[in-house]
Amino acid sequence: MAGPGAEMGAILVQVQEDLQQLKEKVRGLNQGWEAVDVESLEAAIERTESGLRKHAEKCLNAINTSVLTVSPSDNAGLCSRQISKPGIPPEASQKEIVFPEASAVSAQHGSSPPHVSSGSKHKLSMTLKILYNPRNTRHRNVLNQNYGVSLPLINQRKMVPAPPQKVAKGVTVGNLSVAPPSFCLNSSYSELPMSKMDEQKGILNLIERGLIPRAAKLTLEKPLVLFKPAAFHEFHAKHRKKASDGGAESKKVALGPAHSHMSKGSKGTKGSIAPPPSCISVLSLRKPKQLLSPALRKQESAFASACVPKTPEVTPAQTFQNLALDFDILIRQGNVDYEASDLLGFKQHCCLFWGSAHSFLLQVAGLLKDYAVPSAIIKGKKVMEVLPDFEFHQRPTREELLSVIKNNVLVQRLLNRPGQRYKGQNGIEMAAIKIQATWRCYKLRKAYVTFRQRQWASGVIAISWLVHMHMGQVRKTLKESRQKHLENFCIRAKHLAANWNRIRTSKRTVIHVPSLGYTQHVREATPDFAILQGSQVGRLCEIQDPNVDVIYVCPLQLSEGFLQYYHKLLGLQAAVRSGDPEDIADLQDRFKILTPEAVNSFPSRPMSLATFLKYSPKTIKRIRNLIQGKEAYMVGGLLHQDDLEVADALGVPILGPDPEITHLYSSKSGSKRVFAAACVPTPPGQHDIYNRQQMVEVLSQLIIDYPEVKRWLFKVDNDFGGNGTAYCDVTAHLKCYPWIQKECQRYGPEIWQKKWAHEPALAKISQELPGLLAQHAQAVNEKRFPTWGKFLQTFVSQGGVIEAFPPSDSVTNLAVDMLIEPTGEITVVSSGDQIHADGPLRSSGITLPQASVEPGVLNTLCRKIGEACKARGVVGYFSIDFATFIHPQTMGQQVWAVDLDLHYSDHLALTQVLLYVTNGRLDSQSSRFEVQLVPKKPKFWQVQKEQPETVSIVSRCVVMSNSMMHTNLSIIYYNVFLQMCKAHGIGYDVQQREGTIFTIFEEQKRHRFGMLTIGEHLQGVLMTFAHHLFIIYQELSAPNMHAETNFKEAVRDIETILGVAEHNKLQFEEEEQQASKAQAPTK
């Protein structure tokens, strides 16, 4: 076979022989792989590849140059065949390969090509490509299937794959700038934020990007489309093209110059030329020219010349805006009149944004139609002003819609008319909807309110029940705790009573807690309540007994100067006994002054001292350590439930009664019961008054029963110190009082005592009393009760008593301190006459011993009251207040028991200081206070020439007060105050037991202090006391400083006492002279 086919056959035969030799060599692999000549294999393969490559190219060229046709059957087979890989059919086999003969290849330039199927040619071309490329994956399979040649898999070259390139995704054009929202909303921007490149994009591009608002008013310096007249050719003068242009081009209709220009422009960038406005009409050029009449052609030429405008000049935006000033758009019955000339003109001038303007007008028309507005006029200028905001928000408010109406006042008035909405469009439906919505809202709201009320009520009930249960549990726990404390108190009280005789004569520790357990409203109404509790620092002087150690709990913070003063004062005991002022002892181990730490936690709370101590575990622990292994008991003030808890925590008994007994009989009504049980004289009056009607009836009856009483007192049960006391001079202001006296004289003493005779007088007094009391009654503490109404409210809420003031101009009050020991022994500790520095009904101090009542009479009354208290379980210290006067009718002295306080008094604390600094003895049976004057010891260098003087016992009188007050005292310290007094000769003589001693209470306000003046006789002591007060007043007062003080009232009361004493002295001397004269004749 000649030609390329024969050569291809020869090459294949040679390849077969070479491969056969390779097979033989491969069979010898079992003898050793080293024997195989790898280079010979590679050389044979290279020769085969080069030969195949050359002749395959020739064959492919011959095949490709031949003309191939595809029959319909072959086309269907070709289309239905599926190729798994590009260019390689999945079922290709060597049997289908047909090599073209030489005659076929040589005859490719002949007139008719041979008929070969397209599928066969395709398979042949693909097979040749595979044989041409030995590295093809199918090359080895094709040789093996068609020629039986199995090529070994040797020396396979690893192709280094090219590194894959990452596909870059994204936009190939830079980001275009977009106008910010603030640019459209803020009118302050005068320039567009765009660059030169943005200007070349075109107006439509800028509008789409927001750089130009859609509703902007544009004025172009150079128009986008230039109009010029188009020539209308005659039919016979139509432009004819050559026939060589082709049949298709000859069919095109010749167009004018303007149309040619526009067609060229259409090939440019899309959007570069804006379409003509809708208001410009263009004649169709498709109409045949030959159908136009001459007249019509003239009309068209004239119209064309009119439509061609001149080059427009630069027009500002304001000019375009002013064009819409005269457009008044009329809306009738909610419908826009589209045929109106103003609307058409407005539409023509707003052609660029007519859609937005039309939508806005429809919304205004819809609003007017809903409210049945007959007519309204829309201002075009206002519409154009509102359109930019409307385009951005698309939801104009009612105010914005009404702002464009020219007659908006009338329209607004019509819209605000009630029920107008239901006269307009769909009014009946809206009314029905409104009625249904209102009814549903009412029902749901009512149901919701009911639900919320029930929910709230259930919550209140649940919370109240929980609080009630919790409070009940707390009350139960407190009741059990208090009952336990009370049981322990009773057990320790019995133990104290059984061992009292031994305890009072042995070494013991007394814990003084001067607590005042008044009710909360009384404590809050008392100013400086803490200072009042800390004013009994004189209890420290009980260390006069060598067997007594004192622990004093103070409710105030103590300074170093305070402690130093009392260290020196208590160190005078040795000097007092020896008479030598230089003989001073250190007794710091005999007494301790402690302050509860809870005082700092509650600085502004007027709590009792026992409550402070209750919440002070450190202080309780320290006291427990101090009394460990010693006999100790506690002496309180006005006992409270917290005192029992403190005593239980300390494990000590209390020298005092049960707190309930204390509060019961310390009240004004309780003291009246004790006095009545003791059968002692008391002022006329009535107790346990709790309402206004009862008070008026009782006072009316008392006025009738005791017409000689001029002043009546009103005392609140639970108050103290005269704070809850008021008085009224009833007879001096009662208009019917003269008539009552006449009635009393008319009926006579016997008939007047009958109740029926009192009825007219009671009626008249009851009518006058409310107004009389409101006008003339006065409270002792006017700061707390400025009006009678406030006092009466407190009086009836807490209860009180009404009693008579002694019907005398000269009344003396006495204070007696007593002690009921646990064994039942009753002792009078001290007694004295009261002085009144804060008013006639307030006690500010006492003179000791008392000289107003016979000692026997006073002791008898005190003994009776003590027995009555003892019968009611009262133990410990208590004080009784008496009032003595000369009755104007009988001219005899009367003594009334007026008050009872079941606690340790301030007078008793000062009495302890007096006994400590004088080492004296107070004899209550004879009302004498006696001291021993110790002679001064001679010095060791002095020669004793005479016999030593004997100890003499002399009487002393004392004036002492625990409530001296001057507000200017707070500007100086106590050490400066004491130095000032020393400079004026105010001091105490230890040897003579005469002079003045001060007691200080606290270092914060420093406006109160205690003062004791000791002398030989009462008049001298009163004068010395008043003189010292006058000196202190002069030192503390200044003309330009206003100060509050009670010095003046104290001096005035002392002067009254001195006047009475001088009168009594003169009267006593006259009686003695008369008695001596009467005895002389008998002799």
Side-chain angles (χ1 to χ4, degrees), residues 108-120:
Q108 60 183 349
H109 296 288
S111 59
S112 63
H115 180 72
V116 182
S117 65
S118 61
S120 299

Side-chain angles (χ1 to χ4, degrees), residues 600-675:
N600 298 326
S601 302
F602 307 97
S604 60
R605 298 286 294 180
M607 297 191 298
S608 64
L609 181 58
T611 306
F612 282 124
L613 188 58
K614 171 185 174 181
Y615 296 111
S616 302
K618 294 182 180 179
T619 306
I620 291 178
K621 183 178 180 181
R622 186 178 178 186
I623 296 174
R624 193 185 296 116
N625 294 334
L626 291 173
I627 65 175
Q628 188 174 7
K630 301 179 182 178
E631 291 287 349
Y633 60 89
M634 191 174 81
V635 178
L638 184 69
L639 294 183
H640 187 263
Q641 190 66 37
D642 291 339
D643 291 86
L644 302 185
E645 188 169 352
V646 170
D648 201 10
L650 296 175
V652 296
I654 300 177
L655 184 60
D658 184 358
E660 294 183 358
I661 297 175
T662 301
H663 287 273
L664 176 61
Y665 295 111
S666 290
S667 64
K668 302 299 185 289
S669 299
S671 62
K672 299 299 181 182
R673 298 190 191 97
V674 175
F675 297 153

Side-chain angles (χ1 to χ4, degrees), residues 682-716:
T682 57
Q686 186 68 31
H687 56 84
D688 293 323
I689 299 174
Y690 290 96
N691 58 70
R692 302 187 181 188
Q693 184 65 27
Q694 182 185 5
M695 184 198 69
V696 173
E697 293 177 357
V698 168
L699 183 57
S700 301
Q701 187 64 46
L702 289 174
I703 292 172
I704 294 175
D705 293 341
Y706 304 96
E708 70 277 4
V709 177
K710 298 180 180 180
R711 176 175 291 184
W712 292 93
L713 304 179
F714 307 89
K715 296 181 179 180
V716 181

Side-chain angles (χ1 to χ4, degrees), residues 856-1037:
V857 176
L858 185 61
N859 290 331
T860 301
L861 296 176
C862 293
R863 183 72 58 178
K864 290 181 179 180
I865 297 173
E867 291 293 340
C869 292
K870 177 183 175 181
R872 284 158 178 77
V874 177
V875 180
Y877 296 95
F878 64 96
S879 62
I880 308 170
D881 291 343
F882 294 94
T884 179
F885 61 97
I886 303 299
H887 199 279
Q889 296 179 357
T890 62
M891 297 305 294
Q893 185 180 16
Q894 289 192 1
V895 181
W896 289 349
V898 295
D899 202 0
L900 176 66
D901 295 318
L902 300 182
H903 60 84
Y904 202 105
S905 67
D906 294 345
H907 305 151
L908 182 56
L910 289 177
T911 303
Q912 297 292 346
V913 177
L914 173 65
L915 297 176
Y916 188 84
V917 298
T918 60
N919 197 21
R921 187 179 68 89
L922 181 60
D923 187 3
S924 59
Q925 298 297 328
S926 60
S927 295
R928 288 179 59 86
F929 177 60
E930 299 176 346
V931 296
Q932 295 180 356
L933 296 180
V934 180
K936 187 177 181 181
K937 294 181 180 180
K939 300 298 181 180
F940 65 92
W941 64 83
Q942 295 178 354
V943 180
Q944 184 174 357
K945 298 181 179 179
E946 300 178 357
Q947 293 182 357
E949 298 179 1
T950 59
V951 176
S952 59
I953 299 176
V954 297
S955 297
R956 289 288 185 264
C957 293
V958 184
V959 178
M960 52 188 182
S961 175
N962 211 22
S963 58
M964 291 292 100
M965 185 265 294
H966 199 297
T967 54
N968 285 352
L969 186 62
S970 60
I971 63 178
I972 61 175
Y973 290 98
Y974 278 130
N975 55 356
V976 178
F977 170 72
L978 296 175
Q979 292 293 334
M980 178 187 68
C981 294
K982 184 178 180 181
H984 287 279
I986 303 175
Y988 179 67
D989 188 352
V990 177
Q991 187 176 5
Q992 296 297 324
R993 310 294 198 266
E994 293 178 352
T996 299
I997 296 176
F998 298 98
T999 58
I1000 59 178
F1001 306 141
E1002 46 88 25
E1003 282 279 353
Q1004 296 178 357
K1005 292 187 176 181
R1006 300 192 306 275
H1007 65 285
R1008 289 181 179 270
F1009 62 93
M1011 183 174 174
L1012 294 85
T1013 302
I1014 307 170
E1016 293 183 2
H1017 49 82
L1018 181 59
Q1019 291 181 352
V1021 172
L1022 289 173
M1023 292 178 64
T1024 304
F1025 189 86
H1027 179 65
H1028 290 173
L1029 285 180
F1030 180 73
I1031 293 173
I1032 297 172
Y1033 178 79
Q1034 285 185 332
E1035 292 292 335
L1036 296 179
S1037 301

